[in-house]
Amino acid sequence: MRGRLGWMLGALVLCAGAGCSRRVPEGTPAEHAVADADAPTVYVAKRIRTLDSAKPEAQALAVRDGKVLAVGTREEVLAAAGATARVVELGDATVVPGLTDSHGHLAGLGQALAGVRLEGTASLAEVRQRLEKAPATAYQGDWLVGQGWDQNDWDTPRFPTLADMGEHLKDTPVVLWRIDGHALWLNGAALKRANITRDTKDPEGGTIQRLPGGDPSGVLIDNAMDLALKALPLPTKEQHEARMRSALEHCARVGLTGVHDAGMDLRTFRLFQAWDKAGTLPLRVYAMADGQTDDRVQYLKDGPFQGKLLTMRAVKLTLDGALGSRGAALGAAYSDEPGHRGLLLLSPEEYAFRVHAFVGRGFQVATHAIGDRANTLLLDTLSRELTTTGTKAARPRVEHAQIMTAEDITRLGANGFVASVQPTHATSDMPWAEKRVGSERIQNAYAWQKLKAAGAVLALGSDFPVERPDVLAGLYAARTRQDPSGQPPGGWHPDQRLSGEEALEGFTVGAAYASFAEAQRGRLKPGMDADFVALSVDPVDAPAADLLTGQVRLTVVAGREVFRADAK
């Protein structure tokens, strides 16, 4: 199969529903380029899963003016649509409501697609080989940028050092993000540019890994990363736009109609505002303001934003690091590093201050919390803030909710918090997670069914580019808690698996609720937004393994085809 994208900035746009195309002059907004025919479009498929309890399955749906006009049997929908309706036959496909990744990073995905890809490397030697073959797109200024290394996957599972980078790029500054985005690996040239020496002190909430003699080893964890990133040249305007186009195209290709961007920088937000105004933003983007950096000052000044497909109503705050780099803030020490409890990236006082400021401006607070100590602090702070201000409807979000106490799981559900969790994190972390926290704490880790039982709404995502934004892989991980080879047998802590319908709801209904859009999206029923995806596999009833080879055939946003797979 080859893919055809239904959007290009000022170039080629696919007509909604009919698959037709027309050329338009450079710079013409797509909203004016598409012929807004009065006739509805009818899509017919083997099965349409509506997630509407009144009519859970159908064979056809009609779309007009970006909304669902009718859902039902072929005959019912054709009658409702009228004799002039265009008909699109989807054959044996299963259509589901628009799939949304509830936690991703579009700027990070764009950078990952352009840079040196280090995911899946099995050794330091393989890392060096990939660096030697770096594409031209991987450079920002004269710095080489890469992403995705994970020491847990290497034949020597330890943090790398300066010496491990090799000599090939000794005069070129190199900065490589760990797969979780919570650690950097630099070479000597990059350390020199950043002026990081043995005399540089660890910042609050960060660690400079050191060699036995006290010199920097080349790895910076959490807030220490800022020491290097302030020296890294920004992508040029052209690089930035190309990366964001690439990221959005990739998301449409894998069947996403929407993304909740977890911590959008102001530069990217301004670009998306311009694209949204011009009608060339292809997906729905629920942007969380970056509340961690100085961009938060402007976001607080501007307040929430609502465009056509772009919404800014939430703020992303980050309380701790990641479990893989031992930055997650735990109540007791790491089981595999005695005396170490991880890192809080914001002090309790600063976190409370930022929460209060953003709640006061009408923002939903979405907080990264992985360790149990961070989750307790989050729940204490938000519960106090919402009780004091009386803003219970603010729907605070816990981003990740990975390691929790039983008491905090109960509190999270009882107090109306949204659990924004990532199924593929569990299947990526399962080989080593118990080593980090031990057999007792792991019982309340990645505990999706326990969260549901407590009353929490689950919004599912991937945390791309930490994981792939492939939503079919997310559905598979949610249902099986296994790796692609089917290991471990029966699944990792299988009592926490989700059913096929629960998993689908997490990427649809749950995502809509988490972004205050449950009245517009998440289900396919008349009057709701015409966001849907056609898949070669039924995500609910088909064997879970079939999801790994399933294909996205069509992605539709607001009635417009933004991706269509065509036979060669």
Side-chain angles (χ1 to χ4, degrees):
M1 301 291 284
R2 64 180 176 84
R4 184 172 79 244
L5 284 166
W7 75 289
M8 289 180 65
L9 296 177
L12 175 65
V13 179
L14 291 177
C15 299
C20 62
S21 63
R22 57 180 291 201
R23 294 265 172 196
V24 296
E26 187 70 23
T28 301
E31 61 180 323
H32 300 304
V34 175
D36 290 324
D38 292 333
T41 299
V42 173
Y43 291 88
V44 182
K46 178 181 179 180
R47 173 179 285 169
I48 297 174
R49 290 196 173 275
T50 68
L51 296 183
D52 175 13
S53 59
K55 187 180 290 186
E57 292 190 20
Q59 292 75 48
L61 66 86
V63 175
R64 183 170 62 193
D65 297 329
K67 300 289 185 179
V68 176
L69 174 66
V71 180
T73 67
R74 181 189 185 103
E75 293 74 19
E76 289 171 338
V77 173
L78 286 173
T84 61
R86 296 180 296 250
V87 178
V88 177
E89 300 285 351
L90 296 173
D92 63 353
T94 295
V95 172
V96 298
L99 299 167
T100 296
D101 193 310
S102 298
H103 186 112
H105 305 274
L106 288 164
L109 178 60
Q111 178 179 284
L113 293 171
V116 181
R117 305 293 299 274
L118 301 176
E119 300 94 334
T121 51
S123 66
L124 288 161
E126 189 175 352
V127 170
R128 290 190 290 269
Q129 290 170 4
R130 295 195 190 183
L131 292 174
E132 291 172 5
K133 299 176 181 178
T137 56
Y139 285 85
Q140 288 179 209
D142 63 341
W143 287 58
L144 179 62
V145 175
Q147 192 157 331
W149 61 271
D150 184 351
Q151 80 280 4
N152 295 302
D153 294 339
W154 295 339
D155 51 11
T156 53
R158 58 167 175 79
F159 273 133
T161 66
L162 293 170
D164 295 320
M165 192 83 72
E167 292 294 309
H168 175 69
L169 295 163
K170 65 178 181 179
D171 297 323
T172 300
V174 180
V175 56
L176 308 174
W177 270 260
R178 191 181 184 278
I179 192 166
D180 56 18
H182 285 266
L184 292 178
W185 175 21
L186 284 70
N187 69 351
L191 284 174
K192 185 175 181 180
R193 292 280 187 95
N195 196 30
I196 299 172
T197 70
R198 65 183 301 151
D199 297 323
T200 305
K201 298 184 182 302
D202 288 356
E204 188 71 25
T207 302
I208 301 171
Q209 292 283 308
R210 300 180 188 273
L211 299 170
D215 288 327
S217 72
V219 171
L220 310 177
I221 298 176
D222 288 317
N223 286 351
M225 297 191 301
D226 294 339
L227 301 173
L229 295 180
K230 66 183 180 183
L232 176 67
L234 288 174
T236 65
K237 179 178 182 292
E238 294 73 20
Q239 279 181 316
H240 184 228
E241 292 186 3
R243 289 179 180 185
M244 299 320 303
R245 288 191 193 101
S246 178
L248 290 165
E249 288 176 1
H250 191 87
C251 288
R253 229 177 255 282
V254 298
L256 292 173
T257 62
V259 171
H260 296 180
D261 190 287
M264 185 174 286
D265 64 276
L266 190 60
R267 184 189 193 192
T268 300
F269 181 60
R270 294 292 187 232
L271 176 64
F272 280 20
Q273 281 183 306
W275 286 354
D276 188 49
K277 183 177 181 180
T280 53
L281 189 65
L283 307 181
R284 296 190 192 275
V285 178
Y286 184 74
M288 305 177 202
D290 184 350
Q292 210 76 3
T293 68
D294 290 343
D295 284 351
R296 69 183 185 277
V297 177
Q298 188 63 47
Y299 283 131
L300 279 169
K301 180 180 179 181
D302 293 346
F305 169 86
Q306 181 62 60
K308 300 169 187 174
L309 298 182
L310 177 65
T311 302
M312 168 73 75
R313 185 174 175 172
V315 61
K316 164 76 177 307
L317 298 172
T318 303
L319 264 184
D320 65 344
L323 195 64
S325 51
R326 297 185 182 86
L330 302 181
Y334 276 77
S335 297
D336 58 356
E337 189 173 340
H340 179 64
R341 296 198 303 145
L343 300 166
L344 283 178
L345 307 193
L346 294 173
S347 69
E349 296 76 19
E350 181 63 24
Y351 176 60
F353 176 80
R354 297 189 191 189
V355 164
H356 183 71
F358 277 98
V359 168
R361 284 291 280 140
F363 284 86
Q364 175 191 37
V365 176
T367 307
H368 165 116
I370 289 182
D372 52 7
R373 178 159 55 112
N375 276 288
T376 296
L377 175 59
L378 180 161
L379 291 166
D380 287 347
T381 305
L382 264 298
S383 297
R384 183 170 60 248
E385 174 68 28
L386 300 185
T387 299
T388 301
T389 58
T391 52
K392 286 289 186 183
R395 293 186 194 176
R397 298 172 50 141
V398 185
E399 304 298 321
H400 308 308
Q402 279 187 11
I403 315 297
M404 301 189 71
T405 65
E407 293 78 12
D408 281 347
I409 288 175
T410 298
R411 282 206 295 164
L412 189 155
N415 291 321
F417 286 66
V418 174
S420 172
V421 298
Q422 300 74 44
T424 47
H425 274 343
T427 53
S428 291
D429 297 356
M430 63 186 180
W432 48 262
E434 188 168 337
K435 297 176 184 176
R436 295 284 192 273
V437 300
S439 59
E440 183 175 342
R441 284 181 290 188
I442 204 68
Q443 300 305 316
N444 291 311
Y446 313 86
W448 310 325
Q449 288 294 353
K450 290 182 180 180
L451 287 164
K452 280 181 64 67
V457 172
L458 297 188
L460 303 186
S462 68
D463 199 11
F464 66 74
V466 177
E467 307 283 353
R468 293 181 296 132
D470 183 349
V471 70
L472 290 173
L475 290 164
Y476 169 83
R479 286 178 58 181
T480 67
R481 293 175 70 103
Q482 294 175 319
D483 67 20
S485 67
Q487 296 298 317
W492 186 57
H493 296 280
D495 59 314
Q496 296 306 304
R497 291 178 302 185
L498 299 179
S499 69
E501 186 158 340
E502 287 172 332
L504 180 59
E505 287 175 344
F507 283 104
T508 54
V509 178
Y513 179 85
S515 58
F516 302 92
E518 68 271 19
Q520 293 82 42
R521 291 183 287 283
R523 308 181 196 275
L524 292 173
K525 55 190 298 187
M528 299 189 79
D529 290 333
D531 294 4
F532 55 92
V533 180
L535 304 171
S536 67
V537 59
D538 187 329
V540 174
D541 283 349
D546 289 356
L547 292 166
L548 297 174
T549 56
Q551 296 173 333
V552 176
R553 294 183 176 171
L554 182 71
T555 305
V556 177
V557 179
R560 174 179 295 169
E561 294 182 9
V562 296
F563 171 75
R564 186 168 188 158
D566 300 320
K568 289 185 178 179

